[in-house]
Every structure is written in C-alpha cells, then in structure tokens.
Amino acid sequence: MSARDANELRDRIARMDGASYKRYRELRGAWRFRDFTLHVDHVQGDPYAAPSPVRVELPPGTTKLPEEACRSHARRLGTATFLARRFADAASGVPRHGSGRSGEVHMEHPGQKVLPQTAVMPAADGSLEARFTVGLPGRGRRVAGAAAVELLLEVLPELVRQALTVSGEDVTRLLTAAETNEDAQALRAFLEAEALIAFVADGASLARASGVEDTPLDGADVVPFRSPTGLRRTVELPNAGRITGMVVRPGITLVIGGGFHGKSTLLRALEAGVYDHVPDDGREQVVTRRDAVKIRAEDGRAVTGVDISAFIDGLPLGRDTRCFTTPNASGSTSQAATIVEALEAGARVLLVDEDTSATNFMTRDRRMQELVPRSGEPITPFVDRVRELYEAHEVSTVLVVGGAGDYLDVADTVVRMDTYLPEDVTAEARAVAVRHPTARRSEVERPWAPPRARRIRPDSIDPARGRRDVYVRVPDARTLLFGTHAIDVGAVEQVASRAQIRAIGLALAALAREKDALALPEALDRIESLLERSGLNGLDPGRRPGNLARFRRFELAATLNRLRALRTIDRAAEPDTS
Ligand code: ADP
Ligand code: MG
C-alpha cells in the first residue's frame, strides 16, 4: 500500500475527534511526512491497553548519518545503540495527558550494552528504521483529536528530528560510539587470534553505581584498572590506537584477595565482557570470549534430565544422577547441573565466584575427607574436576576465591586483588602450595566423559495461553511469562535486558513448533541459524516488534532449562547409540 500524505492524517484525526476510540483503526497504514514515513502497524483497542506499535523510516538525506557511522556491522551497532538511547531518553520526557497511557511514547532503552536490537536499525546507506510505541490520546474511551494531532504531527516529527538525525557536536559523539564498538570488535579478534580468554584494559572502570545498576560508579574513589606487569599486553586498535591491559590466559585463573578488595567486581566485568559496551561505560575495552558462562548455585531451581554423575553420584535412596530431574535442586546439585548444561550448550570458559557457589561443591578439605568417608559423600568437588576439564576438554575456568586455599594446587595463574588493583602472585602461590600441602586426596573415581546431549521434547514447551497461540511477556528483568509458565531467570546473571528475555521467549516458541525431539545443541543451532538468516525479525515474522535484542545460545539454553514443564526423552528408554 502506498503512503498517504501526513495532511490527510491530520484531517482524518480532526474528523474523528470525540468518536469512539476504535475509530483510531483508520490510522493503520503508512503516512508520508516531509522527512520520514510513519507506519502504524497495529492500533490499540482502548487507551488503557498496550500502546500502539509504530515505525518510522528515514532516508539517508534525513538522518545525515556520516558514512563512517555505518560502514561496517560493528560501527552500525554502535550507531544504533547511540540513537536508541537518545530516542528512548527523549521519548520519556514527552508530557502525557488524557486517559490511560494517552500520549506515552516509548522506545526500549538499550542500557549500557551494545546488542543487535530492533528499536533502531541503521542500514549501510545511512537510512534507518526506528520502532517504538505510542499511546494514542483518549478522553475516557473517546478519541482526543487535538491531542492526537499534536502528538503525531508535532511532537513525533520533533522527536525524530532531535533523536534520530545528527548534526554539529553530536556527529563527534556518534562517531565515538561507532568507533568504540569497532575497537571492541578488534579486541575480540585479538582474543581469538591469540587464543586468550579475556582482556581488561588499563584505565577501565569496573565498579558499578550500585548493586542494582549497570552504570559506572563515579567519584574520586574509583580506582582505574591497572594491569600487573606479568600479565600485561599491548594491543593496537583501529581507533583508540595502542592500548595496554591484562590478559586472562587459557587454563585455571584464580582471583584471590581480601574481602571488599574488588574480586567479584572483576569477575562481573568479565561476565559482562561477552557483550560490547557504550562509550563511557568503563568496560568498553573489557572483552571476554563469547562462550564464557557464569556458573553459580541456585537452590530451588528445576533440573530436567541432566547427567550430573561426574560431580554427584550415590544420592540417598539410590536416586539416579545420570538423568537427574528435580523441581527443587540443592545448592550443590544446582551448581553441578548448571555446569553440565553450560558445557552441553558449548561453553568453553566457566566463570565462578565463591560468593555465589555451594561450599560443599567447591571443595572438601582433608579433615572432612577423614570424617566423612568417600562412600558416604555423593559429591566430587569442583576442585577435583577443574584441571581435568581444561586438560582433557579445553574448558578454562576463572574462579574467585577468598577462603578455599585448596585451589592453589590447581591454578595456572593467580591474581591477587589489593585495594582494587590486581597483582600477579602466581609464583608466590606456588611456593605457598609447596610449603603447606593440603594433604587432601582427589575424589575422582572415573574420568570426566561429556554426557550425551539431552533430547528435548518440543511438546513440553507450550507457549499458548487462553486464546493466544504465543504468549510472551517480560514483566520485570528476571521473569519470562511463557504460555502459562513463569520462568525465573534472576540467577542467570549474563542475561542482559528485558528485550533479550523477550527475544528468548519468542525463540522458545519457535522451538515449540519443531515436530520431533531435538538434541539440545541442535535446537540451539537452529535458532542461531534462524537469527543469521532473518535477524530478530525472524522470531516474530510479520509483526515487526521494536523490543527485541540479540541473545547468546547460553541464555536461551539457561531459560529453557529453567522451564519447569520441560521434558526430555528418557535415555533409559532409548537404544544406546553412542
Ligand atoms: P570482593 O568480591 O573482593 O569482596 P567486591 O568486588 O564486591 O569485593 O567490591 C567491594 C566494593 O568495592 C563494591 O562496592 C564495589 O563496587 C567497590 N569497588 C570495586 N572495584 C572498585 C574500584 N576499582 N574502585 C572503587 N570501588 C570499587
Ligand atoms: Mg565478592
């Protein structure tokens, strides 16, 4: 359908003033403004319902995006996030009046992370599409014509001009966003070329404003990161030039140090380093391999059909841990399951913090070994598997420990945090380990063999609720409402945003449409190739949502694994083909 003129939009709204709110349906379709085209894809039923999703398309002549802002995928991502943040902030300042959500203009705010998302999508030629929602103004349940004319024909074009076109000083800031992201990509290429796990740049600010905020801590007390000489490397970046920082090498890296000296903050920066960050975040030059997964205990979570026998076997009452299912895992069983699930999904780096680990899962000291014999203890602690995971399976681990000195025996590198600054104390740690042997024995009875991947039953992933075939809602940053289920992802610490959880929900709905049982890694591959082929739009064809963000296979798997209704094919019932 060809676009009608904005003047016609004005006349139409004027004519429907005071009419039933349903008349707004006439606004569906495309409208040609001077500088852009507005698409009204769907019209809300009343002013109290979810606001109406709309899109604007801007040609290159309007956006005036410089060629340098759009010439590569990495640069476009930085540009898109810059513009989406600007639009989201500007939109939240639009004054609202009228009933319900009248006058509300909302775009998903990308936060500190730079992810492929659907709110703002610039193309290589400098054109762009932006998606957001608009609460069409009502008086009670009637059309508020004058307010609607003002909103759509004055406020909106001004918002588009302010937030989505660039001129003057903004061009510099925009280019910084594009270049910062290109540099982050270059750092990732460096990690890959040198087979490193992570890089933390000198000068980085790792601490966050608070425990519930992702913005940087600021003030005179912030200690900028400074790499210890032994672990320092220099990297040449396309825009920032030569920078230095600390590398994390493959193997077992321990982060030790006194309480409150910045250990967990460093680990959290590494967790976040699987994503790119906006300029001024403080972590824009902190990058971690994309297949690094945070592991923690999460008692109470559901576990379905996971082989945790390498860590836990011989549970009371003869429960089988080769196919472990429980609606209520303990600290140690949840942590074991989370590791096995992460490896099943393809993780090659595990990030573990003693603060959020089950103590009995991490180690068992000499005295406990003596008092509780191996035969009465189902747990093979992580300390006895961590080297094997690396040596036989190339899985590296970065581990924060304050108390469990047993880990000194298994570490390749030991970093001590002292007043927020790292020191390389590997040699000292070796000497201590020799001087004070722990006298504990390894509790490994069988070598680690990666369990066969589980096969999931698509019919156990049901996205339907009432009349809706697919019901996906994200009421807060830790909950996915999926069909009639609520999935708690609060302990999946690398989940980046609500937009990401929403996209994961749609991906689960796509998996539910599979006909046959699928091996879990294959299910993840299918979603990834769908995203490669069709982008995030492919998750919700025909609807063009503006509130989706890209996720990793690990968060998709973690969410699926926490769906309490999930069922896997019982291995015992299958012929063994492995
Ligand atoms: P640990 O895990 O060693 O006990 P945390 O990482 O939790 O310590 O850090 C303790 C406190 O210090 C936190 O409030 C954190 O925000 C703050 N912090 C961490 N790193 C820095 C830094 N470089 N500069 C200033 N404050 C920091
Ligand atoms: Mg800590």
Side-chain angles (χ1 to χ4, degrees):
M1 192 172 52
S2 71
R4 291 159 291 174
D5 193 83
N7 285 319
E8 193 187 328
L9 177 64
R10 184 191 303 268
D11 296 344
R12 246 173 215 259
I13 299 176
R15 280 201 303 274
M16 57 175 85
D17 180 44
S20 153
Y21 198 89
K22 304 267 183 244
R23 282 278 299 279
Y24 268 134
R25 295 220 175 116
E26 292 174 26
L27 305 190
R28 267 189 303 210
W31 302 94
R32 198 171 50 247
F33 284 64
R34 196 190 64 201
D35 296 330
F36 59 89
T37 306
L38 169 71
H39 296 265
V40 180
D41 288 327
H42 175 82
V43 172
Q44 65 201 97
D46 67 68
Y48 306 93
S52 309
V54 304
R55 293 176 291 130
V56 290
E57 282 175 353
L58 282 67
T62 301
T63 62
K64 308 225 170 49
L65 289 175
E67 189 268 334
E68 304 96 290
C70 300
R71 74 166 164 242
S72 68
H73 180 67
R75 283 179 176 241
R76 282 198 295 281
L77 277 180
T79 296
T81 307
F82 175 86
L83 296 173
R85 286 165 64 92
R86 222 161 52 141
F87 192 100
D89 286 336
S92 66
V94 170
R96 293 163 51 176
H97 25 75
S99 49
R101 296 168 76 174
S102 289
E104 177 188 308
V105 181
H106 176 78
M107 178 181 278
E108 194 80 24
H109 195 292
Q112 296 297 106
K113 298 187 162 60
V114 179
L115 298 173
Q117 40 70 46
T118 55
V120 174
M121 294 172 290
D125 67 356
S127 63
L128 73 77
E129 178 179 342
R131 300 174 178 179
F132 48 97
T133 57
V134 171
L136 294 170
R139 280 191 309 272
R141 286 178 202 278
R142 313 226 144 250
V143 169
V149 167
E150 189 189 332
L151 181 66
L152 293 179
L153 289 119
E154 286 161 39
V155 173
L156 188 69
E158 179 55 22
L159 197 57
V160 167
R161 193 192 61 75
Q162 263 180 32
L164 300 178
T165 71
V166 285
S167 59
E169 275 174 29
D170 281 354
V171 176
T172 318
R173 291 176 53 220
L174 173 82
L175 286 179
T176 303
E179 289 168 359
T180 300
N181 212 55
E182 184 174 65
D183 282 355
Q185 223 63 267
L187 277 171
R188 291 187 194 285
F190 162 75
L191 290 186
E192 195 166 327
E194 310 267 324
L196 294 165
I197 303 298
F199 179 86
V200 184
D202 289 334
S205 280
L206 309 185
R208 297 297 95 188
S210 78
V212 293
E213 285 162 292
D214 202 31
T215 48
L217 179 67
D218 57 16
D221 297 343
V222 175
V223 179
F225 191 81
R226 197 177 67 221
S227 53
T229 8
L231 303 174
R232 183 174 302 154
R233 289 286 301 269
T234 303
V235 193
E236 183 84 33
L237 298 181
N239 304 292
R242 222 167 238 277
I243 66 163
T244 54
M246 180 179 92
V247 293
V248 177
R249 299 201 192 96
I252 318 303
T253 301
L254 290 194
V255 179
I256 64 164
F260 224 65
H261 276 262
K263 303 183 298 295
S264 298
T265 302
L266 172 59
L267 191 80
R268 276 198 291 270
L270 297 178
E271 290 164 28
V274 301
Y275 301 115
D276 299 335
H277 290 89
V278 298
D280 304 327
D281 174 81
R283 301 168 298 185
E284 62 274 25
Q285 293 175 339
V286 178
V287 296
T288 308
R289 274 176 65 139
R290 298 268 195 205
D291 51 6
V293 176
K294 175 66 182 286
I295 301 295
R296 55 169 290 171
E298 185 186 350
D299 56 332
R301 65 159 284 197
V303 174
T304 308
V306 180
D307 181 350
I308 58 169
S309 61
F311 291 112
I312 297 173
D313 58 7
L315 283 182
L317 311 176
R319 289 193 59 172
D320 183 10
T321 57
R322 282 174 311 142
C323 186
F324 183 68
T325 298
T326 176
N328 187 6
S330 66
S332 54
T333 51
S334 66
Q335 195 161 359
T338 303
I339 291 178
V340 175
E341 289 164 346
L343 298 175
E344 177 185 52
R348 286 296 167 267
V349 181
L350 306 179
L351 305 171
V352 186
D353 192 331
E354 192 185 63
D355 287 354
T356 48
S357 293
T359 310
N360 57 345
F361 180 76
M362 297 302 283
T363 185
R364 220 155 73 89
D365 67 16
R366 169 74 208 192
R367 287 176 165 175
M368 275 302 164
Q369 286 187 325
E370 191 104 12
L371 202 58
V372 182
R374 178 69 180 99
S375 56
E377 171 55 73
I379 302 177
T380 303
F382 190 58
V383 70
D384 289 331
R385 289 287 189 199
V386 67
R387 279 226 71 79
E388 187 185 9
L389 276 176
Y390 176 57
E391 284 165 10
H393 305 283
E394 289 177 53
V395 176
S396 293
T397 299
V398 181
L399 203 101
V400 167
V401 277
D406 292 348
Y407 275 91
L408 293 183
D409 288 327
V410 296
D412 296 299
T413 305
V414 183
V415 171
R416 182 169 66 206
M417 296 302 285
D418 185 359
T419 328
Y420 313 128
L421 290 176
E423 303 166 78
D424 178 2
V425 295
T426 308
E428 220 176 308
R430 289 228 171 94
V432 169
V434 170
R435 220 172 321 133
H436 303 285
T438 66
R440 70 181 295 286
R441 293 178 297 265
S442 166
E443 310 203 16
V444 169
E445 286 172 348
R446 276 172 288 122
W448 169 286
R452 190 144 61 106
R454 289 169 300 160
R455 288 177 57 207
I456 53 168
R457 285 179 41 184
D459 60 343
S460 68
I461 310 170
D462 183 4
R465 178 185 186 126
R467 282 171 305 147
R468 290 180 190 275
D469 290 338
V470 175
Y471 183 89
V472 169
R473 296 284 184 282
V474 186
D476 55 59
R478 59 174 300 159
T479 310
L480 171 63
L481 299 180
F482 181 79
T484 57
H485 309 280
I487 307 178
D488 181 2
V489 294
V492 185
E493 293 177 21
Q494 287 168 298
V495 163
S497 66
R498 289 174 64 183
Q500 197 182 56
I501 300 175
R502 207 175 282 115
I504 288 173
L506 294 175
L508 292 181
L511 286 181
R513 291 191 284 271
E514 294 286 344
K515 299 246 168 352
D516 305 310
L518 277 179
L520 193 111
E522 194 190 338
L524 303 175
D525 290 346
R526 287 202 186 177
I527 295 298
E528 283 190 330
S529 55
L530 172 71
L531 289 171
E532 286 316 313
R533 261 193 335 270
S534 329
L536 288 160
N537 290 323
L539 293 175
D540 203 2
R543 265 190 208 255
R544 308 172 194 272
N547 54 10
L548 303 180
R550 185 72 188 253
F551 52 84
R552 299 187 306 165
R553 61 196 280 122
F554 306 108
E555 282 66 44
L556 172 60
T559 308
L560 178 61
N561 285 323
R562 283 162 183 74
L563 170 66
R564 289 179 178 271
L566 179 68
R567 295 294 169 261
T568 53
I569 305 265
D570 185 3
R571 257 177 289 230
E574 272 190 294
D576 194 344
T577 51
S578 64

